[in-house]
Amino acid sequence: MFKLHGIYAPIPTPFKDNKIALDELAGNMEFWLASQLEGIVVMGSNGEFIMLSPEEKCQLITAVCTQAKGKKPVVVGTGCESTQETIEFNHFAAGAGADAALVLSPNYFKKAMNDTVLKKFYLEVAESSPIPIILYNMPGNSGINLSAKLVAELADHPNIIGIKDSGGNIVQIAEIIHSAPDDFAVFAGSASFLFASLALGAAGGTLALANVFPNECARLQELVDKGKFAEAKELQLNLIEANNAVTARWGVGGLKAALELIGLYGGEPRKPLMPLGDEDRELLAAIIKHTQEVCR
């Protein structure tokens, strides 16, 4: 069984002329594959998966899995609104070479998505999946929070191996770590609470910031694993501003601009999302430069 541990980057999807820029993607992948990242997440929130057609999703999954094969594990975001489509994407991802599937809960019919419905959804997906399932709790985008009680119940299934929790509720994360089996991997969904999560026993993180500062994020976990909490805390605080810039402050547009600032391909988000303006780019550039200096 695939073991989930370490720092993963949820990679952005590069576009050029409103199509997936495969050559630019390959160039970015070389950087991430050569870094200290444990693995890659494709078609996460930062990958603008909701903006992709089914054909584009398959194209993207295939490209990433092919390039990463034998180098780093790949987790694929496969969550769809229907159970059937989610299962179909899990099978495609498995065939393409993915190591695990990151499954966001259905969220359009929010009022109907109670614990009973969500539990049945995840269990059916897990039973039908040829690769392990990772729960994806992203209440900021989905509007649905997977409760600690529900997660603990789902964690007993042998094909549900972990959760990426992007909610930022450190109490809930602690409750999940406490109540789930020891081999169930809890991942921080943001670098903003990575240190706190790791200190409580999280197994790693899937972090937007890891696209821009992969080695620094990996080093933070290494410091915690070695019991060097003072150094880890200092690094966490040094990463806070940059993390906020590529998440809450400027979102996908900020993340893609940050990639360009470190020499990778960013490009524009897919509309209706907007790229950063010149003034914000200057502010972002100052933040990235400062973070590079203090994290040396």
Side-chain angles (χ1 to χ4, degrees):
M1 176 69 76
F2 170 67
K3 185 175 178 60
L4 188 63
H5 182 271
I7 303 300
Y8 281 65
I11 64 173
T13 302
F15 298 109
K16 181 177 286 187
D17 299 325
N18 205 33
K19 296 180 180 179
I20 297 176
L22 293 175
D23 289 343
E24 287 75 8
L25 171 64
N28 288 353
M29 283 285 293
E30 288 181 7
F31 170 75
W32 295 315
L33 292 173
S35 75
Q36 294 172 29
L37 290 173
E38 180 66 27
I40 303 294
V41 174
V42 61
M43 290 204 338
S45 298
N46 289 293
E48 299 172 83
F49 76 95
I50 198 69
M51 310 291 200
L52 303 176
S53 69
E55 294 76 18
E56 287 177 320
K57 290 180 179 181
C58 293
Q59 181 185 37
L60 185 61
I61 293 168
T62 301
V64 171
C65 288
T66 299
Q67 189 171 354
K69 186 175 181 179
K71 299 174 182 176
K72 293 186 188 297
V74 175
V75 173
V76 176
T78 61
C80 300
E81 284 301 305
S82 75
T83 303
Q84 178 180 343
E85 190 175 8
T86 303
I87 290 172
E88 290 172 355
F89 263 115
N90 283 348
H91 280 272
F92 181 87
D99 295 274
L102 180 66
V103 182
L104 183 69
S105 58
N107 53 78
Y108 182 80
F109 293 105
K110 289 179 178 58
K111 292 182 180 179
M113 294 298 116
N114 55 42
D115 278 9
T116 300
V117 172
L118 291 171
K119 184 175 182 179
K120 184 174 179 62
F121 165 76
Y122 277 113
L123 290 178
E124 287 185 353
V125 170
E127 284 293 329
S128 303
S129 179
I131 51 179
I133 296 300
I134 303 165
L135 310 176
Y136 185 12
N137 190 38
M138 182 54 160
N141 286 352
S142 71
I144 292 174
N145 178 58
L146 301 180
S147 68
K149 179 178 180 295
L150 174 60
V151 173
E153 292 172 356
L154 291 170
D156 286 330
H157 192 284
N159 206 32
I160 299 178
I161 63 168
I163 182 172
K164 175 191 176 184
D165 196 318
S166 298
N169 183 339
I170 200 66
V171 174
Q172 176 169 304
I173 290 172
E175 289 173 345
I176 294 171
I177 293 170
H178 176 68
S179 57
D182 290 341
D183 61 352
F184 183 79
V186 176
F187 259 36
S190 171
S192 60
F193 48 90
L194 177 60
F195 172 68
S197 299
L198 292 171
L200 287 166
T206 300
L207 320 167
L209 188 65
N211 288 291
V212 185
F213 291 101
N215 296 337
E216 290 79 3
C217 292
R219 180 154 54 93
L220 199 160
Q221 178 159 9
E222 182 182 359
L223 289 170
V224 172
D225 289 346
K226 291 180 177 180
K228 298 181 178 181
F229 291 101
E231 293 178 49
K233 175 186 172 183
E234 181 181 6
L235 180 54
Q236 169 73 85
L237 294 176
N238 285 336
L239 292 172
I240 285 290
E241 188 177 20
N243 179 75
N244 180 63
V246 301
T247 56
R249 186 171 182 180
W250 287 308
V252 174
L255 178 56
K256 289 190 168 184
L259 292 182
E260 294 173 352
L261 289 167
I262 65 167
L264 301 183
Y265 181 84
E268 295 186 356
R270 182 162 272 182
K271 295 178 180 179
L273 296 181
M274 298 293 289
L276 257 64
D278 292 341
E279 184 177 341
D280 286 337
R281 278 180 179 268
E282 289 183 13
L283 293 172
L284 176 61
I287 292 170
I288 297 299
K289 182 180 179 181
H290 175 71
T291 303
Q292 290 171 330
E293 291 172 349
V294 297
C295 290
R296 283 176 182 164

